[in-house]
PDB file of all heavy atoms in Angstrom:
ATOM      1  N   GLY A 215       6.504   5.883   4.011  1.00 97.00           N
ATOM      2  CA  GLY A 215       7.748   6.198   3.312  1.00 97.00           C
ATOM      3  C   GLY A 215       8.894   5.424   3.933  1.00 97.00           C
ATOM      4  O   GLY A 215       8.689   4.484   4.698  1.00 97.00           O
ATOM      5  N   ARG A 216      10.109   5.821   3.604  1.00 98.00           N
ATOM      6  CA  ARG A 216      11.282   5.190   4.213  1.00 98.00           C
ATOM      7  C   ARG A 216      11.784   6.084   5.329  1.00 98.00           C
ATOM      8  O   ARG A 216      12.033   7.270   5.116  1.00 98.00           O
ATOM      9  CB  ARG A 216      12.393   4.993   3.172  1.00 98.00           C
ATOM     10  CG  ARG A 216      13.473   4.016   3.631  1.00 98.00           C
ATOM     11  CD  ARG A 216      14.658   3.982   2.685  1.00 98.00           C
ATOM     12  NE  ARG A 216      15.535   5.118   2.897  1.00 98.00           N
ATOM     13  CZ  ARG A 216      16.426   5.557   2.003  1.00 98.00           C
ATOM     14  NH1 ARG A 216      16.517   4.983   0.826  1.00 98.00           N
ATOM     15  NH2 ARG A 216      17.199   6.596   2.287  1.00 98.00           N
ATOM     16  N   HIS A 217      11.947   5.499   6.504  1.00 98.00           N
ATOM     17  CA  HIS A 217      12.301   6.282   7.680  1.00 98.00           C
ATOM     18  C   HIS A 217      13.696   5.950   8.208  1.00 98.00           C
ATOM     19  O   HIS A 217      14.070   6.417   9.287  1.00 98.00           O
ATOM     20  CB  HIS A 217      11.247   6.068   8.770  1.00 98.00           C
ATOM     21  CG  HIS A 217       9.856   6.269   8.261  1.00 98.00           C
ATOM     22  ND1 HIS A 217       9.428   7.469   7.750  1.00 98.00           N
ATOM     23  CD2 HIS A 217       8.817   5.407   8.138  1.00 98.00           C
ATOM     24  CE1 HIS A 217       8.174   7.350   7.343  1.00 98.00           C
ATOM     25  NE2 HIS A 217       7.788   6.114   7.565  1.00 98.00           N
ATOM     26  N   HIS A 218      14.433   5.144   7.490  1.00 98.00           N
ATOM     27  CA  HIS A 218      15.814   4.826   7.868  1.00 98.00           C
ATOM     28  C   HIS A 218      16.775   5.378   6.824  1.00 98.00           C
ATOM     29  O   HIS A 218      16.371   5.761   5.718  1.00 98.00           O
ATOM     30  CB  HIS A 218      16.001   3.310   8.042  1.00 98.00           C
ATOM     31  CG  HIS A 218      15.575   2.517   6.837  1.00 98.00           C
ATOM     32  ND1 HIS A 218      14.345   1.899   6.757  1.00 98.00           N
ATOM     33  CD2 HIS A 218      16.209   2.232   5.674  1.00 98.00           C
ATOM     34  CE1 HIS A 218      14.238   1.264   5.602  1.00 98.00           C
ATOM     35  NE2 HIS A 218      15.360   1.465   4.924  1.00 98.00           N
ATOM     36  N   ASP A 219      18.055   5.408   7.172  1.00 97.00           N
ATOM     37  CA  ASP A 219      19.080   5.917   6.266  1.00 97.00           C
ATOM     38  C   ASP A 219      19.224   5.012   5.044  1.00 97.00           C
ATOM     39  O   ASP A 219      18.823   3.843   5.063  1.00 97.00           O
ATOM     40  CB  ASP A 219      20.430   5.997   6.979  1.00 97.00           C
ATOM     41  CG  ASP A 219      20.436   7.019   8.112  1.00 97.00           C
ATOM     42  OD1 ASP A 219      19.520   7.870   8.159  1.00 97.00           O
ATOM     43  OD2 ASP A 219      21.355   6.937   8.962  1.00 97.00           O
ATOM     44  N   ALA A 220      19.826   5.562   4.002  1.00 97.00           N
ATOM     45  CA  ALA A 220      20.143   4.743   2.834  1.00 97.00           C
ATOM     46  C   ALA A 220      21.014   3.574   3.268  1.00 97.00           C
ATOM     47  O   ALA A 220      21.997   3.759   3.993  1.00 97.00           O
ATOM     48  CB  ALA A 220      20.870   5.581   1.787  1.00 97.00           C
ATOM     49  N   PRO A 221      20.663   2.346   2.867  1.00 98.00           N
ATOM     50  CA  PRO A 221      21.451   1.189   3.317  1.00 98.00           C
ATOM     51  C   PRO A 221      22.825   1.149   2.664  1.00 98.00           C
ATOM     52  O   PRO A 221      23.035   1.682   1.574  1.00 98.00           O
ATOM     53  CB  PRO A 221      20.595  -0.006   2.858  1.00 98.00           C
ATOM     54  CG  PRO A 221      19.817   0.517   1.697  1.00 98.00           C
ATOM     55  CD  PRO A 221      19.532   1.960   2.003  1.00 98.00           C
ATOM     56  N   ILE A 239      12.458  -3.562   1.322  1.00 98.00           N
ATOM     57  CA  ILE A 239      12.211  -2.687   2.469  1.00 98.00           C
ATOM     58  C   ILE A 239      13.413  -1.778   2.723  1.00 98.00           C
ATOM     59  O   ILE A 239      13.256  -0.603   3.081  1.00 98.00           O
ATOM     60  CB  ILE A 239      11.904  -3.528   3.724  1.00 98.00           C
ATOM     61  CG1 ILE A 239      10.590  -4.297   3.548  1.00 98.00           C
ATOM     62  CG2 ILE A 239      11.838  -2.644   4.967  1.00 98.00           C
ATOM     63  CD1 ILE A 239      10.328  -5.343   4.621  1.00 98.00           C
ATOM     64  N   SER A 240      14.605  -2.285   2.513  1.00 98.00           N
ATOM     65  CA  SER A 240      15.800  -1.494   2.810  1.00 98.00           C
ATOM     66  C   SER A 240      15.900  -0.249   1.935  1.00 98.00           C
ATOM     67  O   SER A 240      16.448   0.768   2.361  1.00 98.00           O
ATOM     68  CB  SER A 240      17.068  -2.346   2.675  1.00 98.00           C
ATOM     69  OG  SER A 240      17.393  -2.585   1.313  1.00 98.00           O
ATOM     70  N   THR A 241      15.366  -0.308   0.706  1.00 98.00           N
ATOM     71  CA  THR A 241      15.416   0.856  -0.175  1.00 98.00           C
ATOM     72  C   THR A 241      14.101   1.626  -0.205  1.00 98.00           C
ATOM     73  O   THR A 241      14.099   2.842  -0.397  1.00 98.00           O
ATOM     74  CB  THR A 241      15.782   0.456  -1.613  1.00 98.00           C
ATOM     75  OG1 THR A 241      14.791  -0.430  -2.142  1.00 98.00           O
ATOM     76  CG2 THR A 241      17.159  -0.200  -1.652  1.00 98.00           C
ATOM     77  N   GLU A 242      12.971   0.945   0.007  1.00 98.00           N
ATOM     78  CA  GLU A 242      11.663   1.588  -0.153  1.00 98.00           C
ATOM     79  C   GLU A 242      10.957   1.854   1.170  1.00 98.00           C
ATOM     80  O   GLU A 242      10.017   2.647   1.220  1.00 98.00           O
ATOM     81  CB  GLU A 242      10.748   0.717  -1.027  1.00 98.00           C
ATOM     82  CG  GLU A 242      11.384   0.234  -2.317  1.00 98.00           C
ATOM     83  CD  GLU A 242      11.945   1.365  -3.157  1.00 98.00           C
ATOM     84  OE1 GLU A 242      11.152   2.223  -3.586  1.00 98.00           O
ATOM     85  OE2 GLU A 242      13.175   1.394  -3.377  1.00 98.00           O
ATOM     86  N   GLY A 243      11.339   1.165   2.230  1.00 98.00           N
ATOM     87  CA  GLY A 243      10.729   1.386   3.530  1.00 98.00           C
ATOM     88  C   GLY A 243       9.279   0.949   3.571  1.00 98.00           C
ATOM     89  O   GLY A 243       8.928  -0.138   3.115  1.00 98.00           O
ATOM     90  N   ASN A 244       8.418   1.814   4.103  1.00 98.00           N
ATOM     91  CA  ASN A 244       7.001   1.502   4.279  1.00 98.00           C
ATOM     92  C   ASN A 244       6.125   2.129   3.209  1.00 98.00           C
ATOM     93  O   ASN A 244       4.931   2.342   3.420  1.00 98.00           O
ATOM     94  CB  ASN A 244       6.518   1.963   5.654  1.00 98.00           C
ATOM     95  CG  ASN A 244       7.332   1.386   6.798  1.00 98.00           C
ATOM     96  OD1 ASN A 244       7.827   2.124   7.641  1.00 98.00           O
ATOM     97  ND2 ASN A 244       7.489   0.075   6.833  1.00 98.00           N
ATOM     98  N   ARG A 292      13.528   1.469 -10.331  1.00 96.00           N
ATOM     99  CA  ARG A 292      13.945   2.840 -10.050  1.00 96.00           C
ATOM    100  C   ARG A 292      15.405   2.844  -9.617  1.00 96.00           C
ATOM    101  O   ARG A 292      15.994   1.793  -9.336  1.00 96.00           O
ATOM    102  CB  ARG A 292      13.066   3.465  -8.972  1.00 96.00           C
ATOM    103  CG  ARG A 292      13.364   3.018  -7.558  1.00 96.00           C
ATOM    104  CD  ARG A 292      12.601   3.853  -6.540  1.00 96.00           C
ATOM    105  NE  ARG A 292      13.096   3.653  -5.180  1.00 96.00           N
ATOM    106  CZ  ARG A 292      14.075   4.362  -4.624  1.00 96.00           C
ATOM    107  NH1 ARG A 292      14.683   5.321  -5.316  1.00 96.00           N
ATOM    108  NH2 ARG A 292      14.468   4.129  -3.384  1.00 96.00           N
TER     109      ARG A 292
END
Side-chain angles (χ1 to χ4, degrees):
R216 196 188 79 199
H217 309 299
H218 54 261
D219 295 344
I239 295 170
S240 75
T241 61
E242 311 306 298
N244 304 127
R292 77 171 193 89

